C-alpha cells in the first residue's frame, strides 16, 4: 500500500493544528485538512483573517473569552471585537504559510472518507491516503428537539455576535444551563435585560459540584435572573410579537431565545459510518465512540475534542491530541487520563475544578475529608474586595487529593496548584507547607490545605498527649 502521509489531521482547530505541528516535528509526513465551512460562524468584524485563524475564535465555549462584564451595549460590542481581534492575531502564528514552512500540507477543502479500494480521505482534487487519521473538528451548539423552536427562531453562541448590531431586546429566555448560557445571562442582566434561565436538570451546571452550582445560582438570583431548574421546555411559539416558552407549569414570554444545551462536533459529511466508525445516540445528537487510546471503532481513525461529548475545552482537547498523535505515529499504547486536568468557566464568580466532585468522591471512597476555606477569610480577598466564593478540596485521610473546586476571583489560575499535585501524586501536605505570597489570592490554597493538617492533629490523641507530657516536663 502506497501512503501519501503518516497522519492526516481533519480540522483546523487549535488542537488539530498543534497535533499537526507535533507530528511534523517528529519527521512525519502530515496533511491538515480544514473544511471551508468550519469558519462560517465567524463574527462579521473578523473579516480578512484566514480560515484557520478564524476557526480558532470558536475553539472555546466562552462568549467574552475572559473579558470583563460590559456595562452597556457599546462596551459589549467593544469587548467582543477586542477579544476577536486578539484571538485572531494569535492565529497568525499558525497561518497556512507558517504551517507550510514546517512541512505540513494545508488543504482548505471539504472531504469525505471512502473505504475502497483502500481507506482514504477523498477531497475535490485528490485522494489522501494515510496510515492514520485524526479527527479534530470544530463544534457548534447542540439544538434540542423542541416543538416550534425552528420556526420561532433562536440565538446560539455562534450567532450571538449579531446581538450587538441592533436594538437590545427587553427580555430573553435562555434554554439550558451550560456555562456559556450562564455567562450570557450575567452579561445581559447587567445591560438591563430581563433574563430567565430554564433547565430540565435538577441544578444549573449539573456536572459540577453541587455546592459550587448552588452558589452560582444564588449569585444569578441576586443579579435578578429568574432561574428555573427541573423545568423541561415543552414547546415554543410566536404570539402577538412575542416568543412564548411553554413549560409544564407556566408560559414565559420573551423577546428572544438563546440555546445553551451543550455542543456537538462538526463531522457531518465525513462519511464516517461507511468506514466502520460507530456512534451512540444522546438526546442532543450522535457522539463518536472512542476508546481510552482515542481510537474510533476503526483503529486507523483517531479523535479528540468534543467528539465523545463533554465540555469542548481547549486544554482537554490538546491533551487528547497529544495522546492520539503518539498512538497514531508509534505503537498505540498510550491511554488518555483525565485525572488531574483542570477546567474553568467565565461565570461570576469564576468557577474552576479538577478531579472529583464531593458526591463522586464519597461514592468511591469511605474516608473522604472535605476541606473548605472562604475568600472572605484571606487577606488578598479582603484587600481586593473580592470576598465571594470558596476553595473546596476533597482528600482522603492519608492526604491524597481527590478533587478541588474554586469559586471566586482568579479561580482559573489558582486551580493549577491542585492539578499539579494530583498529576504528580503529591499529598495535600505539599501545598499546606509551601509558603504562599502574602497577601495574594493564592493564599487560599495554602489555608485550605492546612485544614487537613489541623484535622489530623485534632484526631491524633496520642500526639496531643505526648506534647502535653513534653511541655509539662519542660515546665
Amino acid at each position: 500500500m502506497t501512503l501519501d502521509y503518516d497522519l492526516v489531521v481533519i480540522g483546523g482547530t487549535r488542537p488539530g493544528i498543534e497535533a499537526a505541528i507535533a507530528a511534523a516535528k517528529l519527521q512525519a509526513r502530515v496533511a491538515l485538512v480544514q473544511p471551508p465551512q468550519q469558519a462560517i460562524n465567524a463574527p462579521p468584524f473578523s473579516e480578512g483573517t484566514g480560515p484557520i485563524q478564524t476557526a480558532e475564535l470558536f475553539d472555546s465555549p466562552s462568549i467574552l473569552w475572559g473579558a470583563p462584564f460590559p456595562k452597556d451595549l457599546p462596551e459589549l460590542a467593544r469587548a467582543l471585537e477586542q477579544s476577536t481581534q486578539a484571538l485572531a492575531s494569535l492565529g497568525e502564528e499558525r497561518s497556512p504559510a507558517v504551517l507550510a514552512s514546517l512541512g505540513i500540507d494545508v488543504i482548505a477543502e471539504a472531504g469525505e472518507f471512502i473505504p475502497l479500494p483502500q481507506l482514504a480521505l477523498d477531497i475535490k482534487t485528490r485522494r489522501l491516503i494515510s496510515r492514520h487519521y485524526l479527527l479534530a473538528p470544530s463544534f457548534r451548539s447542540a439544538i434540542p428537539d423542541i416543538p416550534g423552536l425552528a420556526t420561532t427562531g433562536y440565538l446560539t453562541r455562534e450567532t450571538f455576535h449579531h446581538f450587538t448590531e441592533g436594538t437590545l431586546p427587553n427580555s430573553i429566555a435562555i434554554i439550558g444551563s451550560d456555562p456559556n448560557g450562564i455567562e450570557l445571562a450575567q452579561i445581559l442582566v447587567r445591560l438591563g435585560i430581563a433574563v430567565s434561565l430554564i433547565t430540565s436538570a435538577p441544578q444549573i451546571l449539573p456536572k459540577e459540584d453541587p455546592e459550587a452550582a448552588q452558589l452560582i445560582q444564588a449569585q444569578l438570583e441576586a443579579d435578578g435572573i429568574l432561574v428555573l431548574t427541573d423545568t423541561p421546555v415543552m414547546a415554543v411559539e410566536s404570539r402577538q410579537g412575542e416568543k412564548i416558552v411553554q413549560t409544564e407549569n407556566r408560559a414565559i414570554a420573551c423577546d428572544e431565545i438563546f440555546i445553551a444545551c451543550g455542543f456537538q462536533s462538526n463531522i457531518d459529511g465525513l462519511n464516517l459510518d461507511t468506514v466502520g466508525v460507530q456512534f451512540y445516540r444522546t438526546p442532543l445528537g450522535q457522539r463518536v465512540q472512542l476508546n481510552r487510546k482515542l481510537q474510533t471503532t476503526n483503529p486507523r481513525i483517531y479523535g479528540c475534542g468534543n467528539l465523545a461529548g463533554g465540555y469542548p475545552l481547549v486544554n482537554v482537547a490538546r491533551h487528547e491530541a497529544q495522546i492520539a498523535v503518539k498512538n497514531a505515529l508509534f505503537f498505540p499504547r498510550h491511554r488518555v487520563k483525565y485525572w488531574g486536568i483542570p477546567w474553568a468557566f467565565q461565570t461570576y464568580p469564576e468557577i474552576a475544578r479538577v478531579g472529583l466532585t464531593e458526591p463522586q468522591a464519597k461514592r468511591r471512597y469511605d474516608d473522604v475529608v472535605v476541606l473548605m476555606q472562604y475568600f472572605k477569610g484571606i487577606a488578598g480577598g479582603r484587600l481586593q474586595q473580592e470576598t465571594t466564593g470558596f476553595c473546596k478540596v476533597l482528600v482522603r485521610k492519608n492526604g491524597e487529593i481527590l478533587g478541588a473546586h474554586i469559586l471566586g476571583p482568579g479561580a482559573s489560575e489558582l486551580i493549577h496548584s491542585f492539578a499539579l499535585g494530583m498529576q504528580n501524586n503529591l499529598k495535600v501536605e505539599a501545598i499546606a507547607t509551601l509558603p504562599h505570597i502574602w497577601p495574594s489570592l493564592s493564599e487560599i490554597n495554602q489555608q485550605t490545605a492546612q485544614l487537613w493538617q489541623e484535622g489530623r492533629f485534632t484526631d491524633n490523641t496520642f500526639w496531643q498527649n505526648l506534647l502535653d507530657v513534653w511541655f509539662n516536663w519542660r515546665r
Side-chain angles (χ1 to χ4, degrees):
M1 178 176 64
T2 302
L3 298 174
D4 300 319
Y5 300 100
D6 298 298
L7 181 66
V8 170
V9 180
I10 302 164
T13 58
R14 179 187 290 265
I17 293 171
E18 292 181 358
I21 293 173
K25 288 181 177 179
L26 292 171
Q27 308 302 315
R29 289 175 297 173
V30 183
L32 177 64
V33 179
Q34 181 192 20
Q37 68 269 23
Q38 186 167 302
I40 60 173
N41 292 321
F45 39 74
S46 67
E47 292 175 1
T49 58
I52 287 182
Q53 297 98 306
T54 305
E56 175 179 2
L57 300 174
F58 292 95
D59 282 350
S60 167
S62 177
I63 292 171
L64 290 179
W65 298 287
F69 284 110
K71 298 182 178 64
D72 51 36
L73 183 58
E75 189 173 322
L76 173 60
R78 285 194 300 271
L80 290 171
E81 183 172 3
Q82 290 170 1
S83 297
T84 303
Q85 291 176 348
L87 291 173
S89 67
L90 290 174
E92 294 173 2
E93 301 172 3
R94 292 175 296 281
S95 67
V98 172
L99 296 176
S101 71
L102 296 173
I104 300 170
D105 288 347
V106 180
I107 303 170
E109 293 185 33
E112 64 177 8
F113 282 100
I114 56 172
L116 297 172
Q118 56 186 320
L119 179 64
L121 185 70
D122 191 25
I123 60 177
K124 281 185 179 180
T125 55
R126 55 189 284 209
R127 287 183 177 177
L128 307 181
I129 302 174
S130 177
R131 187 172 299 279
H132 291 102
Y133 302 84
L134 173 60
L135 304 175
S138 60
F139 57 87
R140 65 184 184 274
S141 296
I143 307 302
D145 185 15
I146 299 174
L149 183 61
T151 55
T152 303
Y154 54 87
L155 293 173
T156 66
R157 163 185 160 276
E158 293 84 5
T159 58
F160 168 73
H161 296 80
H162 302 296
F163 203 66
T164 62
E165 297 174 0
T167 304
L168 287 174
N170 293 320
S171 58
I172 188 168
I174 299 175
I175 300 176
S177 63
D178 255 31
N180 69 315
I182 293 173
E183 179 188 4
L184 178 66
Q186 293 185 306
I187 292 171
L188 297 183
V189 77
R190 285 164 171 75
L191 301 180
I193 299 173
V195 180
S196 302
L197 183 67
I198 309 164
T199 176
S200 59
Q203 67 174 50
I204 63 170
L205 298 172
K207 298 178 184 177
E208 301 308 308
D209 190 84
E211 206 159 4
Q214 288 166 11
L215 198 152
I216 291 288
Q217 180 169 336
Q219 181 64 54
L220 294 176
E221 292 171 339
D223 290 340
I225 298 169
L226 173 64
V227 180
L228 300 175
T229 57
D230 269 324
T231 307
V233 175
M234 310 306 293
V236 173
E237 64 176 324
S238 295
R239 188 191 306 164
Q240 298 178 349
E242 290 185 314
K243 297 182 179 182
I244 309 297
V245 179
Q246 183 66 54
T247 70
E248 289 182 335
N249 302 318
R250 62 191 297 179
I252 300 168
C254 59
D255 296 327
E256 194 53 84
I257 295 171
F258 184 89
I259 302 299
C261 294
F263 301 93
Q264 59 187 39
S265 298
N266 289 318
I267 55 175
D268 299 337
L270 286 176
N271 211 23
L272 289 169
D273 54 338
T274 65
V275 292
V277 174
Q278 295 181 7
F279 300 81
Y280 63 94
R281 292 190 176 277
T282 72
L284 295 174
Q286 290 185 324
R287 305 292 189 186
V288 176
Q289 290 187 26
L290 296 175
N291 62 21
R292 295 300 297 272
K293 298 176 183 179
L294 296 175
Q295 293 169 308
T296 66
T297 46
N298 183 327
R300 291 178 58 191
I301 301 176
Y302 289 79
C304 67
N306 188 238
L307 285 172
Y311 296 130
L313 302 171
V314 173
N315 62 321
V316 176
R318 277 175 168 171
H319 174 67
E320 293 173 336
Q322 291 169 359
I323 298 296
V325 167
K326 292 177 185 177
N327 286 336
L329 297 183
F330 304 104
F331 298 105
R333 60 185 182 85
H334 299 279
R335 297 176 181 270
V336 65
K337 297 179 181 178
Y338 297 105
W339 181 264
I341 300 180
W343 60 77
F345 305 118
Q346 303 297 324
T347 56
Y348 179 81
E350 192 174 86
I351 181 172
R353 167 194 173 183
V354 62
L356 304 177
T357 64
E358 183 176 345
Q360 289 171 340
K362 289 183 174 179
R363 282 195 298 267
R364 294 191 190 186
Y365 305 98
D366 58 5
D367 61 343
V368 175
V369 179
V370 180
L371 312 175
M372 180 89 80
Q373 180 60 273
Y374 295 89
F375 277 94
K376 64 183 179 182
I378 65 168
R382 295 281 184 94
L383 292 171
Q384 297 182 33
Q385 297 183 340
E386 293 281 3
T387 56
T388 301
F390 59 78
C391 176
K392 177 179 182 179
V393 184
L394 308 169
V395 300
R396 300 185 68 183
K397 286 188 176 180
N398 64 359
E400 178 187 356
I401 305 172
L402 300 176
H405 306 263
I406 301 179
L407 192 68
S412 59
E413 304 290 344
L414 300 175
I415 197 66
H416 291 96
S417 295
F418 296 105
L420 183 65
M422 292 177 65
Q423 290 231 349
N424 291 276
N425 297 316
L426 299 178
K427 299 295 178 67
V428 71
E429 188 175 18
I431 297 175
T433 55
L434 175 66
H436 286 61
I437 295 173
W438 187 92
S440 68
L441 293 174
S442 66
E443 208 182 5
I444 196 168
N445 289 352
Q446 182 183 22
Q447 290 194 14
T448 307
Q450 285 176 339
L451 295 175
W452 176 80
Q453 290 181 314
E454 296 172 8
R456 189 172 66 161
F457 176 75
T458 302
D459 294 339
N460 193 332
T461 55
F462 172 78
W463 182 241
Q464 292 184 52
N465 292 334
L466 185 61
L467 288 174
D468 188 48
V469 171
W470 167 256
F471 286 112
N472 284 333
W473 175 76
R474 291 196 66 183
R475 295 189 189 105

